[in-house]
Amino acid sequence: MLTGKGRRMVLAGLMSAGVLAAMPAGAQVPAFPKDPVTINVIDVAGNLALTQKAIENYRKANPNRVARFTFTKAPAPELAGKVKAQQNAGRVDIDLVLTGTDGLAAGIEQGLWQPLLPAYAGKFPNLEAGYLPAAAKMQTLASNQGIVVTYYPSGPLLEYAPERVKNPPKSADELLAYCKANPGKFMYARPANSGPGRTFLMGLPYLLGDKDPKDPVQGWEKTWAYLKELNSCIEYYPSGTTATMKELGEGSRDIVASTTGWDINPRVLGTVPKSAQVTTLKGFHWVADAHYMVVPKGLAPERLAVVLDLMAFLLKPEQQAYAYDEGYFYPGPAVKDVTLAMAPAESQAAIKEYGRPEYEQLIADNPIELPLDAKGLVDAFRLWDERVGAAKTK
């Protein structure tokens, strides 16, 4: 787990990489628009499953500010190009982006996001103190250009069909042996557009005892060698996680990379049988994940005022409770003291039936690591595409 020293090293690394932008110590929050506006939200992380009801609650509570919300979804790898094109044209019509670490990192690298902290810290009083400890650590990766809205410990987990896998792998070596003995039966999705895919990628250096789990360029010698060998028995890499779950459910794959949320929610939906099981591998460390709210540079001041207010609203405990959803990002809430009892009845019922009691112990008993910072994540995605998946991604 990251200590205070480790956290300072993360921030120092971001600064040395030129990621942290120079920002004013404070900025005047713009005035609200005189008439209600339409706010355009793009989701590249599946986050609307957790936040859309709360976003609509903001509109109901503030009809003088928001006439309506529009919601669009896109693959994370397309986000940076879409935003950059709008900025180059001088016409930004995306007001709020909901993204995982993938889209966040790409935008940080290209300078696409509006710095939010400390410029508008007044809108988010006691932000770090209000977060769960691990969510507060995830906030350090935002380079002050995003705000964590949902959090979960993630994985990497292996999800499998117990009727077809009688003795699931217990180590990375056993997973490789299983894959070679059963070609095409193990699958994970392209990391650049898959939470379980990138969590599996970032978790391997811990499982394999690599030199530096935070440095995919110089510190992942064992990981890249392992992934290349694993590649020999993987049929193809889907562009997103949903396909892996469908194939597990249909029986064409027996083991897939998963996370707490991707374990629970597809079983709630019936995509994967309720009987599916999960396991971890020897040396397991959680690699945490979060969704962020980010704002493209170039937003008109009155629209920025509404978006900042919406972001603060989504951090209120009663709105955070919607993040339990049907287990998609389990648990989901990023702020403290948001219990399952506060969630809608359908969320409580889904998690009671499809959740796993062992997750509480797994979370308590194993280290929770930060994912790679922006530069590291971009490097890891590039190297995976070049060395592993380029010829097999569909």
Side-chain angles (χ1 to χ4, degrees):
M1 287 178 114
L2 281 185
T3 62
K5 179 181 178 183
R7 183 174 153 197
R8 289 193 295 273
M9 290 174 65
V10 169
L11 291 170
L14 290 170
M15 293 175 71
S16 67
V19 172
L20 288 179
M23 290 173 295
Q28 184 72 34
V29 176
F32 288 113
K34 294 180 180 178
D35 298 306
V37 295
T38 296
I39 296 295
N40 302 311
V41 179
I42 186 169
D43 175 18
V44 299
N47 179 263
L48 285 172
L50 315 175
T51 58
Q52 186 166 349
K53 290 177 182 176
I55 291 171
E56 290 289 4
N57 285 346
Y58 180 85
R59 180 186 59 81
K60 293 172 187 175
N62 298 279
N64 58 324
R65 296 174 190 166
V66 177
R68 70 186 183 104
F69 286 103
T70 70
F71 300 103
T72 58
K73 299 180 181 181
E78 296 178 5
L79 174 65
K82 186 186 293 283
V83 172
K84 192 168 187 177
Q86 291 185 9
Q87 290 172 337
N88 289 343
R91 184 177 177 179
V92 176
D93 62 12
I94 296 172
D95 300 303
L96 176 65
V97 178
L98 302 171
T99 179
T101 52
D102 41 14
L104 172 75
I108 289 174
E109 186 188 46
Q110 298 183 46
L112 304 181
W113 309 137
Q114 170 73 44
L116 300 173
L117 299 170
Y120 301 111
K123 293 294 294 186
F124 309 101
N126 302 313
L127 181 65
E128 184 175 335
Y131 279 137
L132 295 167
K137 291 178 182 177
M138 293 298 294
Q139 179 61 33
T140 68
L141 294 181
S143 301
N144 293 321
Q145 297 170 48
I147 302 290
V148 169
V149 64
T150 48
Y151 157 81
Y152 80 139
S154 193
L157 305 175
L158 295 182
E159 188 162 356
Y160 65 96
E163 68 277 10
R164 301 192 296 276
V165 183
K166 304 297 185 184
N167 186 26
K170 296 179 178 63
S171 68
D173 286 344
E174 288 187 14
L175 175 62
L176 181 59
Y178 174 88
C179 189
K180 289 184 173 182
N182 301 273
K185 293 300 183 180
F186 171 67
M187 171 180 272
Y188 67 99
R190 182 189 179 208
N193 196 45
S194 167
R198 66 175 176 268
T199 303
F200 179 67
L201 176 64
M202 291 186 288
L204 276 173
Y206 297 100
L207 298 173
L208 297 170
D210 239 328
K211 183 170 68 175
D212 186 354
K214 298 298 186 185
D215 185 356
V217 178
Q218 301 295 332
W220 284 18
E221 183 179 351
K222 294 178 181 178
T223 295
W224 294 123
Y226 181 88
L227 287 170
K228 186 175 181 180
E229 199 169 354
L230 195 64
N231 181 58
S232 67
C233 53
I234 291 177
E235 183 179 351
Y236 80 101
Y237 301 97
S239 59
T241 312
T242 299
T244 69
M245 295 299 163
K246 286 181 178 177
E247 296 201 22
L248 177 64
E250 292 164 358
S252 52
R253 314 295 161 191
D254 291 347
I255 305 177
V256 298
S258 192
T259 62
T260 58
W262 276 100
D263 160 41
I264 296 172
N265 189 246
R267 290 188 298 118
V268 173
L269 299 176
T271 308
V272 173
K274 186 178 180 181
S275 60
Q277 296 295 314
V278 294
T279 189
T280 59
L281 299 178
K282 182 181 178 181
F284 172 70
H285 288 219
W286 293 101
V287 179
D289 200 0
H291 289 161
Y292 297 81
M293 304 176 283
V294 298
V295 181
K297 290 178 179 176
L299 210 59
E302 67 275 8
R303 303 180 74 80
L304 178 60
V306 175
V307 171
L308 290 171
D309 201 53
L310 168 64
M311 293 165 72
F313 179 84
L314 294 180
L315 295 180
K316 295 180 181 293
E318 59 270 25
Q319 306 307 322
Q320 283 277 300
Y322 287 98
Y324 280 101
D325 181 51
E326 291 180 318
Y328 167 65
F329 211 65
Y330 182 80
V335 306
K336 295 175 180 174
D337 303 322
V338 181
T339 65
L340 182 58
M342 298 167 63
E346 57 269 25
S347 295
Q348 297 184 44
I351 292 169
K352 181 179 180 181
E353 183 171 357
Y354 293 93
R356 297 191 191 274
E358 60 264 36
Y359 280 153
E360 185 175 348
Q361 201 64 42
L362 268 176
I363 293 169
D365 290 350
N366 292 280
I368 300 177
E369 307 290 350
L370 281 180
L372 297 173
D373 64 23
K375 182 181 182 301
L377 201 58
V378 170
D379 284 341
F381 290 162
R382 174 180 55 80
L383 291 171
W384 186 92
D385 285 344
E386 290 174 357
R387 298 179 182 182
V388 182
K392 287 188 176 182
T393 299
K394 294 183 183 178

